[in-house]
Amino acid sequence: MASIISAPSFISTSQRRNSKVYRQVAGCIRRSPAIQAMRVEKPLEELYNVRVERKVSQQRLAELGVSRWSVWKTGKCQLPWDWQVDQLVYIEEGEVRVVPEGSERYMRFLAGDLVRYPKWFEADLYFNGPYRERYSFRAYGDD
């Protein structure tokens, strides 16, 4: 079992920071690509202003009138897409991977998710099987 070595409490903070072990550990952490990536990478939803509600309740769906929205469905495919207006989407079946233009990362949305795509958003959509959604175009500021 590995144990953590700590400096005795009577050694000051500045003495600990100047110790050889502290400098080595701190240097490894600062240079670690994984640590650096965790510091700078925000969730894609936040970066691109895509809002998602997971496992939406039937009450919320009724409030929004989702049953009256238009239906769109597809099978396995890849589709480049850009949104000319805000769009609210409720995924009824399947899943979609959304890769924003210029990104190597993706967002994943599943059946039961309510997703708000912002106007002018561009992405590639990847569907791995049967997919069905209900959608509604929104005016700016509509929630």
Side-chain angles (χ1 to χ4, degrees), residues 27-62:
C28 289
I29 290 172
R30 277 195 295 273
R31 288 188 300 270
S32 167
I35 298 294
Q36 290 175 357
M38 287 188 323
R39 289 182 185 158
V40 295
E41 288 187 3
K42 291 183 178 180
L44 289 177
E45 293 85 353
E46 185 179 331
L47 287 173
Y48 292 96
N49 200 27
V50 173
R51 294 187 299 198
V52 60
E53 294 177 40
R54 307 278 182 188
K55 299 179 183 178
V56 180
S57 69
Q58 291 299 318
Q59 180 182 355
R60 173 85 167 120
L61 297 176

Side-chain angles (χ1 to χ4, degrees), residues 127-138:
F127 304 96
N128 290 331
Y131 177 85
R132 178 183 163 100
E133 73 179 24
R134 291 192 174 264
Y135 66 92
S136 173
F137 298 115
R138 311 305 261 183

Side-chain angles (χ1 to χ4, degrees), residues 47-142:
L47 287 173
Y48 292 96
N49 200 27
V50 173
R51 294 187 299 198
V52 60
E53 294 177 40
R54 307 278 182 188
K55 299 179 183 178
V56 180
S57 69
Q58 291 299 318
Q59 180 182 355
R60 173 85 167 120
L61 297 176
E63 287 172 9
L64 293 168
V66 171
S67 63
R68 296 185 308 272
W69 293 0
S70 301
V71 175
W72 184 78
K73 56 187 174 179
T74 189
K76 184 176 181 174
C77 68
Q78 174 191 352
L79 184 66
W81 198 258
D82 62 280
W83 285 262
Q84 302 296 315
V85 296
D86 281 12
Q87 184 180 24
L88 197 53
V89 170
Y90 175 68
I91 302 171
E92 293 185 319
E93 176 187 2
E95 71 177 74
V96 59
R97 282 187 303 132
V98 180
V99 181
E101 184 176 298
S103 177
E104 294 179 8
R105 298 170 35 204
Y106 65 88
M107 297 172 270
R108 183 172 173 237
F109 304 120
L110 307 168
D113 290 349
L114 182 67
V115 184
R116 174 91 181 232
Y117 296 103
K119 182 177 182 177
W120 308 125
F121 179 60
E122 296 181 40
D124 288 328
L125 307 177
Y126 294 87
F127 304 96
N128 290 331
Y131 177 85
R132 178 183 163 100
E133 73 179 24
R134 291 192 174 264
Y135 66 92
S136 173
F137 298 115
R138 311 305 261 183
Y140 180 76
D142 281 352

